[in-house]
């Protein structure tokens, strides 16, 4: 416990965080691109066509990892938001706020690719199914967090308020899912079965898992890259920032 | 220095809010007027066919009332924030959640009760069957306090902002989705001759939870945004 | 190759969703980079001004 809290304080101190993330970022992005490229090659070329959906099912290799990421990013954000609200640790505030735009991006991609997949498969862009509706509500929650964060002048206060909103949201998403499910059964249910392949063949599974791994790494890389900038902005009065900026300024010419 | 008891503080708060509303009683009717206008637009857009209107009547009434209460939410803490009363409430020795619960209760009395009273008129304009009317009123009686409570947390988060209208709507709507589904769902079920008690009970459970948790959350949110 | 691009007749759907994915990631990659550059140049200017101020004061 002692080493853990020590590590936490060390990693949580802004200069260390800045240096570490600057060191890690390029490697993470490179790893994500590499694994993603292998996953896409496997998904687009190696994996066989589905017997029902033909080649249209290949959208799964981006749709499902993005859907997982939209939830994972929210949980990551909420965990950091909890730390930010309760213990007011600066790095957690920044991490929570920077994971919101990345999560929103993944949610938007999920909704768009889902609509594109739905058109040839169910003949409609959109149905008011529990999964789709809660994903849409999730997007609204992300936008609310981003909007609240950018609307308040004081950065730390903004981060705490938006974190609080994120925590409310994590209670809300399951309730929305449940209520839409109930509402749908009242309306005789939709005839289309969403997300058919529950039992997926191994030749299709491993590209999917590779893509999921790639998007997870991408998420952390992107969050670190964004957090780095935010740290620099919020700590702009400190000496270490001055040193870094001047070193970078010389390099930029 | 001696402070009054918690009960007297709450009573003073509620009396003050009711008095303020009474002094500007024209403004208090604005949400109801707004709901009336929204409902009046639907027949104009959809055509005057009674059967068609009847089918979607409950949904329209709920959407109109939801929008009207959203419009009224902005005023919940605004004037208190501007004249410094809100800071006094936060600084008072009494537990903040209880005081906020009174504040929200007074807000519900002054904005939501007129809406509930105007609801039968709205329903009649859309030819809602009279058998559904009791269910509609019951659902409204449970749903509007929930709307006020859930909205209050979001208002508390945006209280310091100058122009929060659109942002407030964005924050509030995801929270209103389940309430709308259950409240309108109960009416639709009653209209279709199905059992309608389950969604009302769920709404009631939600209200019981919100009554306990929301004042606490609201106090925490207010402390964040007024610090 | 043509077969691969045709995606069994679903080319528009498959490739447009992959395009959305790539564009989303691209924006996600570039946006913080641009912001970083802007903030660094802003801070650079501010520090230079502060330096000038202290030099003229002494």
């Amino acid at each position: 416990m002692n080493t853990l809290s020590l590590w936490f304080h060390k990693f949580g101190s802004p200069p260390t965080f800045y240096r570490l993330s600057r060191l890690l970022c390029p490697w993470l992005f490179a790893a994500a691109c590499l694994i993603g490229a292998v996953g896409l090659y496997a998904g687009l070329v190696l994996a066989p066509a589905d017997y029902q959906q033909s080649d249209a099912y290949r959208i799964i290799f981006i749709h499902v990892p993005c859907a997982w990421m939209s939830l994972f990013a929210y949980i990551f954000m909420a965990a950091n938001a909890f730390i930010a609200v309760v213990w007011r640790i600066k790095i957690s505030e920044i991490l929570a706020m920077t994971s919101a735009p990345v999560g929103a991006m993944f949610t938007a991609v999920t909704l768009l690719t889902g609509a594109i997949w739905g058109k040839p498969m169910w003949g409609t862009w959109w149905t008011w199914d529990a999964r789709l509706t809660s994903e849409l509500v999730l997007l609204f929650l992300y936008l609310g967090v981003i909007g609240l964060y950018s609307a308040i002048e004081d950065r730390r206060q903004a981060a705490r308020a938006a974190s609080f909103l994120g925590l409310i949201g994590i209670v809300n998403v399951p309730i929305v899912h449940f209520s839409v499910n109930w509402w749908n059964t009242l309306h005789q249910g939709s005839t289309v079965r969403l997300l058919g392949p529950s039992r997926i063949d191994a030749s299709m599974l491993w590209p999917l898992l590779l893509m999921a791994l790639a998007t997870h790494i991408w998420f952390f890389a992107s969050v670190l890259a964004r957090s780095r900038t935010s740290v620099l902005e919020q700590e702009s009065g400190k000496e270490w920032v001055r040193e870094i900026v001047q070193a970078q300024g010389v390099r930029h010419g | 220095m001696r402070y009054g008891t918690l009960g007297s503080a709450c009573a003073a708060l509620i009396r003050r809010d009711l008095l303020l509303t009474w002094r500007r009683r024209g403004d208090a009717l604005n949400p109801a007027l707004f709901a009336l206008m929204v409902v009046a637009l639907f027949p104009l857009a959809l055509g005057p066919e009674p059967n068609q209107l009847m089918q979607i009547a409950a949904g329209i009434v709920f959407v109109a009332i939801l929008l009207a209460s959203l419009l009224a939410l902005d005023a919940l803490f605004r004037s208190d924030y501007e004249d410094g009363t809100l800071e006094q409430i936060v600084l008072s020795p009494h537990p903040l959640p209880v005081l906020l619960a009174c504040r929200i209760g007074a807000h519900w009395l002054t904005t939501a009760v007129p809406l509930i009273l105007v609801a039968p008129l709205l329903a009649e304009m859309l030819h809602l069957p009279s058998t559904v009317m009791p269910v509609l009123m019951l659902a409204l009686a449970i749903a509007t306090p929930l709307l006020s409570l859930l909205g209050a947390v979001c208002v508390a988060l945006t209280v310091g902002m100058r122009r929060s209208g659109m942002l407030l709507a964005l924050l509030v709507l995801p929270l209103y989705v389940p309430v709308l589904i259950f409240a309108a769902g109960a009416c639709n079920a009653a209209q279709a001759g199905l059992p309608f008690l389950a969604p009302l009970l769920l709404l009631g459970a939600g209200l019981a939870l919100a009554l306990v948790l929301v004042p606490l959350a609201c106090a925490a949110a207010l402390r964040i945004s007024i610090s | 190759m043509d077969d691969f691009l045709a995606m069994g007749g679903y080319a528009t759907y498959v490739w447009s969703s992959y395009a959305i994915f790539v564009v989303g990631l691209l924006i996600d990659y570039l946006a913080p980079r641009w912001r970083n550059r802007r903030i660094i140049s802003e801070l650079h200017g501010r520090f230079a001004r502060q330096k000038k101020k202290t030099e003229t004061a002494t």
Side-chain angles (χ1 to χ4, degrees):
Chain A
M1 186 60 212
N2 201 11
T3 49
L4 185 69
S5 67
L6 197 71
W7 179 84
F8 196 77
H9 278 289
K10 195 163 175 224
F11 185 67
S13 92
T16 320
F17 179 83
Y18 182 86
R19 278 191 208 102
L20 200 64
S21 60
R22 194 157 137 192
L23 200 70
L24 278 176
C25 252
W27 292 106
L28 286 177
F29 271 123
C33 288
L34 199 69
I35 297 173
V38 175
L40 281 186
Y41 178 76
L44 286 172
V45 181
L46 298 184
D50 189 72
Y51 76 100
Q52 257 185 333
Q53 303 199 358
S54 165
D55 282 316
Y57 92 96
R58 293 189 198 276
I59 296 174
I60 200 177
F61 297 117
I62 52 174
H63 177 70
V64 170
C66 284
W68 286 342
M69 283 318 297
S70 67
L71 290 177
F72 178 82
Y74 202 93
I75 293 169
F76 181 80
M77 179 178 88
N80 275 295
F82 183 77
I83 297 173
V85 169
V86 176
W87 292 291
R88 304 192 173 188
I89 290 175
K90 201 184 257 179
I91 290 298
S92 288
E93 288 170 7
I94 289 173
L95 284 177
M97 288 307 106
T98 48
S99 51
V102 189
M105 184 275 290
F106 277 117
T107 314
V109 170
T110 308
L111 284 170
L112 287 172
T113 55
I116 292 172
W117 195 7
K119 187 64 185 164
M121 287 304 112
W122 323 318
T124 173
W125 298 103
W126 181 264
T127 65
W128 291 96
D129 165 83
R131 233 184 256 256
L132 275 72
T133 313
S134 27
E135 193 74 12
L136 187 66
V137 168
L138 194 67
L139 182 64
F140 285 147
L141 284 171
Y142 275 126
L143 294 182
V145 168
I146 297 169
L148 188 61
Y149 181 60
S150 54
I152 299 177
E153 200 80 3
D154 182 78
R155 290 295 73 194
R156 297 207 61 188
Q157 188 191 339
R160 276 210 297 281
S163 295
F164 194 81
L165 182 71
L167 286 177
I168 296 172
I170 209 164
V171 183
N172 193 38
V173 170
I175 297 179
V176 169
H177 192 94
F178 162 72
S179 59
V180 178
N181 238 340
W182 174 85
W183 171 69
N184 253 337
T185 50
L186 184 79
H187 285 247
Q188 301 297 320
S190 46
T191 42
V192 285
R193 286 282 303 139
L194 294 190
L195 228 67
S198 51
R199 278 178 304 154
I200 185 167
D201 191 68
S203 61
M204 299 171 183
L205 184 62
W206 70 268
L208 185 63
L209 291 180
L210 271 186
M211 286 305 291
L213 183 65
T215 45
H216 275 76
I217 298 174
W218 179 279
F219 169 73
F220 283 113
S222 183
V223 165
L224 281 183
R226 284 161 191 270
S227 305
R228 197 153 59 99
T229 313
S230 297
V231 165
L232 215 56
E233 193 184 16
Q234 291 191 22
E235 297 275 292
S236 58
K238 303 278 169 63
E239 191 54 38
W240 67 270
V241 175
R242 187 186 295 261
E243 281 163 19
I244 283 169
V245 167
Q246 268 156 10
Q248 291 229 343
V250 171
R251 212 175 51 199
H252 279 305
Chain B
M1 184 170 170
R2 279 173 55 94
Y3 301 109
T5 60
L6 179 59
S8 67
C10 291
L13 208 56
I14 291 176
R15 233 192 67 214
R16 166 185 163 272
D17 284 338
L18 294 182
L19 199 64
L20 277 176
T21 315
W22 179 247
R23 296 265 158 81
R24 279 179 294 168
R25 23 190 192 277
D27 287 1
L29 292 177
N30 278 348
L33 192 64
F34 178 78
L36 199 65
M37 288 192 299
V38 170
V39 167
L41 288 177
F42 273 90
L44 298 180
L46 295 173
E49 195 61 47
N51 284 329
Q52 198 183 358
L53 288 174
M54 199 195 301
Q55 280 187 337
I56 48 173
I60 294 176
V61 169
F62 271 107
V63 170
I65 282 177
L66 190 147
L67 290 177
S69 59
L70 182 64
L71 200 71
L73 263 187
D74 201 37
L76 178 52
F77 293 133
R78 173 156 309 281
S79 62
D80 283 357
Y81 177 75
E82 279 166 359
D83 64 14
T85 315
L86 198 59
E87 285 190 2
Q88 295 301 318
I89 293 177
V90 172
L91 291 174
S92 87
H94 300 297
L96 182 57
V98 180
L99 296 181
L100 287 177
C102 294
R103 188 77 194 74
I104 298 167
H107 181 260
W108 178 76
L109 277 178
T110 53
T111 61
V113 170
L115 282 176
I116 296 179
L117 292 179
V118 85
L121 177 65
L122 303 182
E124 205 48 57
M125 282 167 74
L126 297 169
H127 307 284
L128 189 79
S130 55
T131 45
V132 185
M133 199 70 91
V135 183
L136 176 78
M137 297 309 283
L138 192 59
L140 273 176
I142 306 173
T144 48
L146 250 178
L147 294 182
S148 296
L149 285 164
L150 294 176
V153 183
C154 298
V155 180
L157 282 173
T158 57
V159 78
M161 280 172 219
R162 213 153 292 133
R163 301 183 59 80
S164 59
M166 194 55 217
L167 183 62
L168 186 64
L170 183 63
L171 304 193
V172 164
L173 282 183
L175 298 176
Y176 278 7
V177 167
V179 182
L180 179 69
I181 287 177
F182 286 123
C187 294
N188 290 336
Q191 203 166 350
L194 298 169
F196 55 82
L197 206 57
L200 286 180
L201 290 177
L202 279 168
L203 268 184
L207 179 59
L209 265 177
L211 272 176
V212 178
L213 294 178
V214 160
L216 297 171
C218 200
L222 211 53
R223 287 228 162 84
I224 288 173
S225 52
I226 298 202
S227 58
Chain C
M1 193 63 202
D2 277 351
D3 241 18
F4 173 70
L5 285 178
M7 276 289 152
Y10 293 109
T12 15
Y13 299 111
V14 173
W15 292 122
S16 62
S17 48
Y18 274 83
I20 287 170
F21 179 64
V22 170
V23 168
L25 290 189
L26 211 63
I27 292 172
D28 186 51
Y29 179 79
L30 289 176
R33 224 137 288 263
W34 288 334
R35 209 171 88 89
N36 195 30
R37 187 166 296 175
R38 208 189 62 226
I39 281 173
I40 291 234
S41 71
E42 236 168 57
L43 287 178
H44 199 68
R46 194 200 296 177
F47 292 147
R49 277 196 301 279
Q50 279 175 2
K51 209 171 168 189
K52 217 171 175 180
K53 221 175 181 177
T54 47
E55 272 170 6
T56 49
T58 47

